[in-house]
Amino acid sequence: MKASIITVLLCGFLIPAVFAEQPSQDVQPITGFGDIEIGMSFDLVDQALRGSGVFQYRGEADVSLSPGRERIVMEVDGFDFVQRGIFQFIDDRLFSITLIINQSMMDHFTLFTRFQNSYGTPAVFGPRRILWEDGQNRLTLERPLTVQYLDLMRFEELRDQGRARESLRELSRELFLEQF
């Protein structure tokens, strides 16, 4: 009787340990896609896109400026696996890379497996969005099939600036209302 209880207990502890997912020993930092890395200058990304076999980059025709801000957006058609790439710059530094993946040539599970092998267990795992973070950057895999790299530090700065603007707007509103 005692032997069967011990066997059941051992199986209860050992079987999950045997089948548990083993994280990759050499988890890589999240830096970007191919030769294009978060934080690169506009000129370096421009050069990398010109030499890329993944994107149909034409130069200035693919670039737009956001008026009144130090923001640049490059929208570039892709070949084969990438339908479109969107590269966002703030203050001449690459802040975000968004890749819209060609679903007829690539699938969600293959990308998920690749990212998990490279970056370990995701920080968030949901039916529409899976994300990995390394403290500096974030990688998001979304459905239908989009991959995004994001500079976390810059994102937090922008979010804090947005909150400050909202607080100032609310304060201005209250001051205005006090005049009545």
Side-chain angles (χ1 to χ4, degrees):
M1 177 78 167
K2 286 183 182 180
S4 62
I5 292 174
I6 292 173
T7 303
V8 168
L9 288 174
L10 282 176
C11 287
F13 290 112
L14 291 178
I15 289 175
V18 169
F19 290 106
E21 178 185 331
Q22 298 298 319
S24 172
Q25 296 302 322
D26 41 325
V27 173
Q28 302 170 15
I30 299 167
T31 57
F33 177 72
D35 294 335
I36 303 170
E37 296 185 357
I38 294 294
M40 290 175 75
S41 70
F42 176 85
D43 291 337
L44 288 175
V45 174
D46 181 78
Q47 289 174 6
L49 285 171
R50 288 180 193 276
S52 172
V54 178
F55 299 101
Q56 301 177 40
Y57 183 62
R58 300 172 309 223
E60 290 191 26
D62 297 315
V63 179
S64 66
L65 299 171
S66 178
R69 298 184 181 196
E70 298 296 323
R71 296 186 186 198
I72 299 172
V73 177
M74 302 169 82
E75 290 191 49
V76 183
D77 288 332
F79 293 112
D80 298 328
F81 296 100
V82 176
Q83 286 181 333
R84 185 170 233 17
I86 303 165
F87 304 88
Q88 297 179 13
F89 298 82
I90 297 177
D91 298 325
D92 193 46
R93 295 286 166 215
L94 184 58
F95 161 70
S96 171
I97 303 169
T98 303
L99 305 172
I100 301 165
I101 307 299
N102 183 344
Q103 295 180 63
S104 66
M105 298 191 77
M106 184 60 57
D107 64 277
H108 190 271
F109 183 74
T110 300
L111 285 172
F112 168 75
T113 302
R114 173 63 182 201
F115 295 154
Q116 187 168 24
N117 289 339
S118 297
Y119 307 117
T121 304
V124 173
F125 186 91
R128 306 270 315 143
R129 179 176 81 134
I130 304 169
L131 69 89
W132 292 260
E133 292 183 352
D134 67 2
Q136 292 184 335
N137 298 315
R138 173 185 292 164
L139 170 65
T140 306
L141 175 61
E142 296 180 348
R143 291 188 187 270
L145 201 50
T146 302
V147 174
Q148 183 181 45
Y149 296 86
L150 183 68
D151 180 332
L152 280 175
M153 306 252 196
R154 189 68 172 138
F155 176 72
E156 291 298 324
E157 288 174 16
L158 292 171
R159 192 166 69 180
D160 290 344
Q161 289 172 3
R163 284 188 196 132
R165 277 192 294 273
E166 283 299 316
S167 295
L168 183 59
R169 202 172 289 130
E170 184 62 30
L171 179 61
S172 295
R173 181 178 185 271
E174 290 300 318
L175 289 172
F176 173 75
L177 288 173
E178 286 178 8
Q179 296 180 48
F180 290 102

